[in-house]
Amino acid sequence: MDAITLTRPDDWHLHLRDGAALEATVGHSAAQMGRAIIMPNLKPPVTTTEQARAYRERILAALPADTTFDPLMTLYLTDTTPPEEIERARASGIVKAVKLYPAGATTNSSSGVTDLARCDDTVAALAASGMPMLVHGEVTDGDVDIFDREAEFLTRVLTPLLARHPTLRVVCEHITTAQAADFVLAAGENVAATMTPQHLLLNRNDMLVGGIRPHCYCLPILKRERHRQALLKAATSGSKKFFLGTDSAPHAQGDKESACGCAGVFSAPAAVELYATAFEQAGALDKLEAFTSHNGADFYGLARNAERLTLERRDWQLPQSYAYADGQRIVPMKAGDTLSWKLITG
Ligand SMILES: NC(=O)N[C@@H](CC(=O)O)C(=O)O
Ligand SMILES: [Zn+2]
Ligand SMILES: [Zn+2]
């Protein structure tokens, strides 16, 4: 096969940042994606509908001309988010989901939820609203090993949460383990998951053998090869519960190549090509379009994009870095590597 046409994809988990960084990031995603769910972990976080509206305006202002990219906004859940804020968000039409960051779990999560029991009324309002809760599913307890934090979250937090709120719609974000894939498959129709290019293409050896590669470091951390295989199997299984969410998480080169490097992989410039590479490795290119362009829209109850794009089989080399905020550079996933698919973006 030398070319694949597919419905324009959407990114159901994306970090664009703000200010000068936003100017540098948004074009990469707008070139490939029709829509994206925009993560709210700014400093300070996007906790109200009014803040989401203002952030959306800044994103639209930073977009290149001639794009139809539609940013779908999210609210950052805190211990003190009132139930009324959920209703304001739903009524706004611009907020499509609410994000749960366990406090301390990842980049800019210090204002996250310390104990879900504290926001039970708000979670009930969210379940009633029909908007999904997007979950960074890792426990933060110091006694839990970093490689076990996702699996522990499923049993310690998500299972009791769904028992208390059985109609709550949940997207398990950036899943990394066989346990998470199995959990989502066994759960009801209200539970789905996104997967990143790095968790479909890389295992922890790729990050740690022969030298430490900070540009492969993200949270949840890369896992063993058997987990990568389990994710690929789930993504290509034909289940509608799995869809594209890059978790493209830009950090300046100097903040990654550091004694205490930031978590996050910048995958936006070649996101669709990276997923195509993973699906081809699994012998499942015929399942790519559902994952990139159908399942997410269907889960969110939104129309699929009308436009179609072509992926061509053509070798091209990813740049070593791109321009970022304030004269800094940013290093993409697979920098300098040759990919054998190229999305034709007009
Ligand atoms: N994935 C990451 O490693 N980092 C994300 C936060 C997140 O999605 O957990 C970021 O905002 O940098
Ligand atoms: Zn996360
Ligand atoms: Zn993320």
Side-chain angles (χ1 to χ4, degrees):
M1 215 187 307
D2 290 327
I4 304 169
T5 65
L6 74 179
T7 303
R8 187 187 271 280
D10 301 303
D11 188 345
W12 301 98
H13 181 142
L14 177 65
H15 301 269
L16 291 177
R17 313 305 187 203
D18 208 349
L22 169 60
E23 306 266 340
T25 59
V26 70
H28 292 289
S29 292
Q32 297 207 331
M33 306 293 173
R35 296 165 286 200
I37 283 277
I38 310 298
M39 289 295 128
N41 62 332
L42 304 182
K43 290 183 262 185
V46 178
T47 56
T48 67
T49 307
E50 278 322 297
Q51 287 172 318
R53 196 187 299 282
Y55 184 30
R56 183 167 187 276
E57 291 304 319
R58 297 197 294 280
I59 295 168
L60 294 176
L63 275 172
D66 300 331
T67 161
T68 55
F69 181 75
D70 185 9
L72 311 176
M73 308 311 291
T74 60
L75 293 191
Y76 183 120
L77 187 66
T78 72
D79 284 354
T80 56
T81 304
E84 300 76 48
E85 193 60 50
I86 303 298
E87 181 45 31
R88 270 194 291 277
R90 192 205 54 76
S92 76
I94 60 155
V95 176
K96 298 295 182 199
V98 171
K99 177 81 191 196
L100 169 65
Y101 290 104
T106 187
T107 305
N108 300 344
S109 62
S110 55
S111 315
V113 172
T114 62
D115 181 354
L116 270 168
R118 297 197 177 168
C119 26
D120 202 54
D121 291 350
T122 303
V123 175
L126 185 58
S129 79
M131 288 190 296
M133 177 188 272
L134 314 182
V135 178
H136 180 110
E138 289 193 287
V139 296
T140 55
D141 317 50
D143 63 320
V144 181
D145 188 272
I146 187 168
F147 290 99
D148 299 332
R149 288 182 169 201
E150 181 176 280
E152 285 294 319
F153 183 88
L154 301 171
T155 47
R156 289 193 194 184
V157 182
L158 196 51
T159 300
L161 177 69
L162 283 165
R164 245 187 106 55
H165 301 280
T167 62
L168 182 66
R169 295 165 61 68
V170 170
V171 182
C172 298
E173 302 276 52
H174 48 41
I175 63 169
T176 66
T177 57
Q179 290 95 322
D182 290 345
F183 181 94
V184 170
L185 276 169
E189 297 271 288
N190 53 320
V191 179
T194 57
M195 294 185 201
T196 75
Q198 64 268 25
H199 294 108
L200 291 172
L201 284 167
L202 304 174
N203 63 34
R204 65 197 204 180
N205 280 17
D206 295 310
M207 177 175 58
L208 294 170
V209 173
I212 186 162
R213 290 179 181 74
H215 297 290
C216 297
Y217 173 64
C218 67
L219 292 171
I221 199 160
L222 294 171
K223 304 296 192 302
R224 291 175 180 276
E225 176 62 9
R226 79 175 167 82
H227 292 293
R228 187 182 79 89
Q229 292 293 342
L231 297 183
L232 269 178
K233 190 172 165 205
T236 60
S237 66
S239 165
K240 290 185 57 68
K241 287 171 162 256
F242 301 102
F243 39 87
L244 186 162
T246 61
D247 189 24
S248 180
H251 294 276
Q253 182 169 14
D255 294 333
K256 295 286 296 174
E257 299 171 8
S258 156
C260 184
C262 294
V265 171
F266 180 52
S267 58
V272 176
E273 291 91 338
L274 291 166
Y275 284 109
T277 305
F279 275 63
E280 181 162 48
Q281 278 176 11
L285 276 175
D286 59 319
K287 302 291 197 318
L288 181 68
E289 185 184 23
F291 179 87
T292 60
S293 318
H294 296 167
N295 298 349
D298 294 356
F299 184 82
Y300 276 81
L302 299 170
R304 297 175 184 176
N305 293 320
E307 194 183 351
R308 294 185 70 76
L309 297 179
T310 301
L311 258 171
E312 263 181 26
R313 188 185 293 284
R314 180 210 296 174
D315 283 356
W316 65 290
Q317 196 184 13
L318 263 160
Q320 293 291 351
S321 66
Y322 294 91
Y324 196 54
D326 308 319
Q328 301 173 98
R329 306 291 300 175
I330 183 161
V331 177
M333 181 177 168
K334 299 267 183 200
D337 284 10
T338 298
L339 299 179
S340 47
W341 290 99
K342 182 86 185 81
L343 189 69
I344 310 305
T345 52

